Amino acid sequence: MLRKHTLSALALFVLSSPHFAQAASAPAVEAKNGMVVTSQDLATQVGVNILKQGGNAIDAAVAVGYAQAVVNPCCGNIGGGGFMTIHLANGKDTFINFREMAPAAASASMYQDAQGNLIAESSLYGWKATGVPGTVMGMEMARRQYGKLSRQAVMAPAIKLAQDGFILTRADTDILDTTVARFKQDPAVAKIFLRPDGTPLQPGDRLRQTDLARTLSRIAKEGPDAFYQGQFPKAVEQASKAGGGIITAQDFAQYHATELAPLTCTYRGYTFVSAPPPSSGGVTLCETLNILEGYDLKSMGFNSAAMVHTLTEALRFSYADRNTYLGDPAFVQNPVAKLMDKQYAASLREKIQKDKATPSTQIKPLVATGEKPETTHYSIVDHYGNAVSTTYTVNGRFGAVVMAPGTGVLMNDEMDDFTTKIGAKNLYGLVQGTANSIAPGKRPLSSMSPSLVTKEGKIFLVLGSPGGSRIITITLETALNIIDFGMKPQEAVDAPRIHHQWYPDEVYYEKNGLSADTLNILDKMGYRMVEQTPWGAAELIMVGLPGAAGVGTPSSGNDSAVSGNVRPGYLYGANDVRRPAGSARGY
């Protein structure tokens, strides 16, 4: 077992990276009354405007959710689904589950041929890849239960953006450019997301989505029935049938969102509030935190060999449990209490060796799930004391890249989040198991982890991220950067990351994120280290709570860099530089 007193030698080898070579990040955005952080600046502006109009954080979250469907079409959606974690000013925490559901005609072998072989890309693209969307019902459930404004008021900005269009920036077209070839394969999609001559849209072009504006207008007027009953699901069924899909209007009519109690766990005096199954996020986050709580990470040094070793081993055990046991609670029994038990974490710590990697082959049978990283997250805090953390997705970038003509709605490819074949390796080398196998009406397991951190019942952090199976580690490391390493909010978001998910048995680290000395030590400990380009995009809000980590951090007094300190009573928003289209705005 890796004890605190054995780490001193390894802790000498600390990160050398662009982030810390520069020794500073730009200050987080500071505000007094409200803060919105999203991955698209126009959506951020929508959220702030709703707060200024007297809406609360839930109203702003719904408005941002619809706005992102327009201005962030790769990932924002009404053709997908997700999760919303809410903290109310009265102290109540709650969770809205609007994850997609499998159509009634779905089956465990639907993506295999007659010989049992997986059909390439059948669960990724086209109408057969689509699950029943949940965003519209989830947004309305949140607004109706906890918002202040009317549905028409919170949807008006998105409708205007869709009808009038918006000017694309380079950050927008970079995302569009990734999927141009797929756009050309669906006439309804090509009509919107390509120029009339079939060439890609360019910075400075105006993207108008009049069909989507009409769909949104009907939802604003009629409520979710406009999406789950009537013409819209009929149009989807017709297009799906023509494209070889299985989703029907009846599947839409049977969809339902749910409100659940979020999962909570404690870490060094803070309470984490996160997503329960069918998300794996909260369980895996809490299990990892419970393991790490037994170590003095701060003394090891940020991204030292000792810290990377400790974090990797904790992730190895928690991801093994995630991939083995978790699934839709309506279909499988999730051992949540055991996995989140601190005594269980202590037993796992006993298995972590002092200076040696644990081969993943030594941990449980090979069972796992994978999901695509093109998701979006946003965080909101209002002046009443409400906070909302929302992550939602169409799964792959632009989902299944199909659209029912006349609707303007890109449909998800969420069926790929299920086990498509038991025992088969997926794109990432993961081997899939039965807990997440496909069944009619079942929701696929997700890593989406919209999370809140409180201290003595008051909001301290609102955070989350896109990134597929890396969502959990991005969210975890952002919080650790503040709580254990005392980073300011923007520093915590910008800092280089590592990721380990049990299989493949590799530790990923961001480009230039670890020093040569650190990598040499980790190699001798038995780790296979793989450098990758930066990933994910954390969206963080930090509240200046007196006595909390990083609040009131003093300057050294030896320089002019005295701005950026977190002041008690203020809100701080940090958008991730990995997603330049996004922004943090407050008032």
Side-chain angles (χ1 to χ4, degrees):
M1 177 179 173
L2 188 62
R3 303 287 185 183
K4 294 178 183 178
H5 65 270
T6 65
L7 295 171
S8 57
L10 290 179
L12 295 175
F13 294 89
V14 186
L15 168 78
S16 173
S17 74
H19 174 80
F20 280 85
Q22 295 171 359
S25 291
V29 174
E30 180 184 83
K32 189 69 175 176
N33 298 305
M35 183 65 67
V36 179
V37 188
T38 87
S39 55
Q40 217 287 345
D41 181 56
L42 292 172
T44 303
Q45 293 181 46
V46 166
V48 172
N49 289 338
I50 290 292
L51 293 179
K52 288 180 178 179
Q53 292 169 21
N56 63 16
I58 295 85
D59 294 313
V62 174
V64 167
Y66 281 114
Q68 291 234 57
V70 179
V71 299
N72 189 24
C74 73
C75 314
N77 69 83
I78 61 170
F83 306 122
M84 181 181 291
T85 305
I86 300 171
H87 174 83
L88 297 173
N90 63 11
K92 177 183 177 179
D93 295 319
T94 192
F95 178 81
I96 307 293
N97 165 28
F98 53 99
R99 182 74 160 149
E100 300 91 333
M101 298 174 70
S107 66
S109 60
M110 63 185 287
Y111 298 112
Q112 303 170 30
D113 62 20
Q115 288 73 45
N117 300 311
L118 287 175
I119 302 169
E121 298 188 336
S122 60
S123 63
L124 289 171
Y125 301 105
W127 281 103
K128 201 173 182 180
T130 293
V132 186
T135 295
V136 171
M137 191 160 304
M139 293 293 163
E140 179 63 7
M141 175 180 284
R143 185 204 64 80
R144 188 176 61 249
Q145 291 289 101
Y146 303 110
K148 296 176 61 183
L149 303 182
S150 69
R151 185 173 56 248
Q152 290 84 349
V154 297
M155 293 188 66
I159 295 168
K160 182 175 175 59
L161 284 165
Q163 184 64 50
D164 297 347
F166 64 100
I167 301 299
L168 295 168
T169 68
R170 170 66 187 274
D172 297 316
T173 59
D174 280 351
I175 299 170
L176 292 167
D177 287 346
T178 64
T179 316
V180 166
R182 288 284 173 183
F183 291 161
K184 294 179 179 179
Q185 297 178 27
D186 187 288
V189 176
K191 179 182 176 183
I192 297 168
F193 294 107
L194 296 174
R195 285 176 163 180
D197 63 358
T199 59
L201 292 168
Q202 299 297 315
D205 285 349
R206 181 176 290 272
L207 175 58
R208 289 187 175 89
Q209 299 170 77
T210 54
D211 288 343
L212 180 57
R214 283 191 290 271
T215 298
L216 291 172
S217 295
R218 285 195 291 270
I219 296 169
K221 181 180 179 181
E222 303 170 24
D225 283 354
F227 191 83
Y228 294 96
Q229 310 282 343
Q231 287 303 117
F232 180 84
K234 289 179 181 177
V236 169
E237 178 177 339
Q238 183 177 354
S240 177
K241 185 176 181 180
I246 60 172
I247 195 169
T248 67
Q250 185 61 28
D251 292 323
F252 276 78
Q254 293 178 344
Y255 181 84
H256 60 279
T258 61
E259 183 173 5
L260 309 167
L263 297 181
T264 62
C265 59
T266 60
Y267 181 76
R268 307 200 201 283
Y270 297 87
T271 298
F272 281 69
V273 182
S274 195
S279 171
S280 65
V283 174
T284 311
L285 180 69
C286 286
E287 183 177 341
T288 308
L289 287 167
N290 286 342
I291 297 171
L292 293 175
E293 197 169 31
Y295 301 98
D296 185 356
L297 298 183
K298 183 178 181 179
S299 72
M300 298 179 193
F302 173 75
N303 271 18
S304 66
M307 185 267 190
V308 172
H309 168 62
T310 305
L311 177 57
T312 299
E313 294 302 293
L315 291 169
R316 190 192 308 275
F317 283 103
S318 60
Y319 268 85
D321 285 341
R322 171 210 186 270
N323 298 339
T324 302
Y325 298 120
L326 300 180
D328 184 349
F331 289 77
V332 300
Q333 187 69 36
N334 291 288
V336 172
K338 176 184 177 181
L339 298 182
M340 292 179 57
D341 181 71
K342 289 187 182 288
Q343 290 302 312
Y344 177 63
S347 72
L348 296 179
R349 279 197 298 274
E350 294 292 336
K351 299 178 182 180
I352 297 176
Q353 301 179 70
K354 178 177 69 175
D355 55 4
K356 184 179 179 182
T358 305
S360 290
T361 52
Q362 295 183 10
I363 305 176
K364 297 187 178 71
L366 303 182
V367 184
T369 60
E371 62 189 300
K372 301 288 282 182
E374 291 82 29
T375 302
T376 191
H377 177 87
Y378 52 94
S379 300
I380 300 173
V381 172
D382 64 28
H383 74 277
Y384 303 106
N386 303 297
V388 179
S389 181
T390 303
T391 313
Y392 71 159
T393 186
V394 284
N395 198 34
R397 192 176 286 122
F398 299 95
V401 203
V402 291
M403 178 184 293
T407 66
V409 177
L410 283 161
M411 298 297 290
N412 68 82
D413 64 332
E414 212 64 65
M415 296 297 290
D416 188 62
D417 273 3
F418 282 114
T419 299
T420 52
K421 181 182 178 182
I422 295 171
K425 290 183 178 181
N426 74 357
L427 178 64
Y428 305 102
L430 299 174
V431 181
Q432 315 257 19
T434 57
N436 192 39
S437 59
I438 302 170
K442 190 175 182 180
R443 303 180 200 262
L445 188 67
S446 172
S447 292
M448 291 186 289
S449 310
S451 299
L452 310 166
V453 180
T454 63
K455 184 176 177 60
E456 297 175 353
K458 297 180 180 179
I459 280 291
F460 176 48
L461 304 177
V462 183
L463 71 166
S465 173
S469 60
R470 302 180 190 216
I471 290 173
I472 297 166
T473 52
I474 295 168
T475 304
L476 169 72
E477 289 172 62
T478 302
L480 294 178
N481 289 344
I482 293 171
I483 295 171
D484 283 310
F485 299 108
M487 294 186 196
K488 297 173 185 177
Q490 193 66 55
E491 289 176 335
V493 167
D494 292 347
R497 304 170 181 140
I498 69 160
H499 175 74
H500 187 71
Q501 60 183 33
W502 183 38
Y503 277 97
D505 196 353
E506 300 172 340
V507 181
Y508 304 109
Y509 65 98
E510 291 187 310
K511 189 172 178 63
N512 299 319
L514 296 173
S515 71
D517 289 339
T518 299
L519 291 168
N520 184 50
I521 294 172
L522 291 167
D523 178 69
K524 291 178 179 177
M525 295 171 75
Y527 289 104
R528 184 168 188 268
M529 306 300 294
V530 179
E531 185 180 58
Q532 294 185 333
T533 54
W535 61 77
E539 309 291 352
L540 170 70
I541 296 175
M542 179 174 174
V543 179
L545 286 182
V551 179
T553 304
S555 167
S556 66
N558 297 314
D559 54 51
S560 59
V562 295
S563 64
N565 290 334
V566 174
R567 298 190 292 172
Y570 285 82
L571 307 173
Y572 294 86
N575 176 64
D576 201 317
V577 295
R578 298 168 182 83
R579 187 67 187 270
S583 67
R585 289 177 178 265
Y587 79 105

